[in-house]
Amino acid sequence: MVVQGFMGRDAVSGDTTTLGREGSDYTAAIFAYCLDAGELTIWKDVPGVMNADPRRFPFASLIPELPYEEAVEMTYYGASVIHPKTIKPLQNKAIRLRVRSFLRPELPGTLICGHAATDKRSPYLIVKSPQALITVRTRNFSFVAEEHLSLIFTELYRLGIKVHLMQQSALSFRFCVDDDAYKVRPLLQSLAAELEAEWEGGLDLWTLRHQSERTEKGLLSGRRILMEQRSPQLVQLVLK
């Protein structure tokens, strides 16, 4: 059976719509869910899910196996090899997902399933660019409080801007978004009536997960860090 991807119907209006970029992956996952498939194979121009973008990092290598949760994390932080919505319908029915290369079909690819063969998590690096770092402050040197955050997020929602990283201090609120002048400029204009806002574009957002301290230092050599956020297994950095 051969069917088209990308197309669907809006659940509210009933109008024909698209499923977004790489919607063919999501289409395949929906069919797999409806057909109670045991496994879904998605064909790409890469050997499978890589631990970094091979076009930017020569050391990039294949991740042989991933649990669903880790794959969802990767798509959330910007890994483009899988559509962000693809995993959920497969996870709901424990359907395995295999990502393979149509250029090298003899290779096994990456298997995404309910549990990995090992508890050891594969380290990976995801880069989103270009990014813009926006810093917002009050005009009277007062604290950035809930009413200011409400205004900021209302405008972000109105303009359809997704925040990839955010950080608040007493006197400022900083956040990282896609460097899209058609959205960033109207945002700054809308905030200017009540707040001071400045921005810097042409930046990179790096997400490093399960990386060693030594590897991290090597990767960041020569880069300037503008914003940093850390948890035990995850580091996110806005870099110039």
Side-chain angles (χ1 to χ4, degrees):
M1 180 175 66
V2 178
V3 297
Q4 68 181 22
F6 303 102
M7 305 300 291
R9 186 178 68 178
D10 187 285
V12 177
S13 67
D15 295 336
T16 300
T17 186
T18 64
L19 300 178
R21 182 183 179 190
E22 298 292 339
S24 55
D25 293 357
Y26 187 31
T27 304
I30 293 171
F31 273 101
Y33 179 92
C34 294
L35 296 171
D36 292 321
E39 183 170 311
L40 168 65
T41 299
I42 293 178
W43 298 91
K44 300 287 183 177
D45 60 354
V46 291
V49 179
M50 311 291 286
N51 65 355
D53 186 344
R55 295 168 297 183
R56 301 185 64 156
F57 301 100
F59 62 79
S61 61
L62 178 73
I63 301 176
E65 193 168 317
L66 280 169
Y68 293 123
E69 292 80 4
E70 198 78 3
V72 170
E73 290 272 2
M74 292 184 74
T75 60
Y76 174 80
Y77 292 121
S80 59
V81 71
I82 306 171
H83 189 284
K85 294 182 179 179
T86 299
I87 304 298
K88 186 57 180 174
L90 303 178
Q91 183 183 24
N92 287 346
K93 287 192 175 180
I95 299 170
R96 299 181 301 276
L97 171 62
R98 195 175 294 274
V99 182
R100 298 178 65 186
S101 170
F102 58 76
L103 299 174
R104 298 286 305 279
E106 73 278 6
L107 298 178
T110 298
L111 178 64
I112 299 172
C113 55
H115 60 278
T118 174
D119 291 334
K120 183 179 179 181
R121 300 300 192 189
S122 297
Y124 60 80
L125 164 62
I126 296 172
V127 177
K128 291 182 70 69
S129 61
Q131 296 290 289
L133 180 61
I134 300 173
T135 302
V136 178
R137 301 181 179 89
T138 58
R139 296 187 184 280
N140 59 1
F141 210 60
S142 61
F143 295 150
V144 175
E146 285 76 11
E147 63 267 27
H148 307 117
L149 297 176
S150 176
L151 169 63
I152 294 168
F153 279 96
T154 296
E155 291 305 304
L156 288 167
Y157 177 78
R158 182 180 68 84
L159 293 167
I161 300 175
K162 179 182 178 182
V163 176
H164 303 304
L165 185 64
M166 68 184 80
Q167 195 171 82
Q168 183 179 356
S169 67
L171 300 177
S172 68
F173 180 68
R174 308 173 78 198
F175 53 99
C176 182
V177 300
D178 291 337
D179 188 3
D180 181 349
Y182 292 102
K183 291 186 177 182
V184 171
R185 288 175 182 171
L187 173 65
L188 298 176
Q189 291 170 358
S190 66
L191 297 177
E194 296 189 35
L195 299 165
E196 290 184 352
E198 59 185 42
W199 72 286
E200 184 172 359
L203 307 174
D204 292 335
L205 172 61
W206 284 28
T207 300
L208 300 93
R209 191 161 171 84
H210 310 304
Q211 299 282 1
S212 68
E213 183 177 346
R214 180 178 178 182
T215 300
E216 180 185 330
K217 287 183 178 179
L219 289 170
L220 298 176
S221 178
R223 301 298 300 265
R224 180 185 169 201
I225 301 174
L226 301 182
M227 188 165 80
E228 178 177 348
Q229 193 160 287
R230 291 179 176 270
S231 62
Q233 296 296 327
L234 181 72
V235 179
Q236 288 191 282
L237 306 160
V238 179
L239 301 175
K240 186 172 182 177

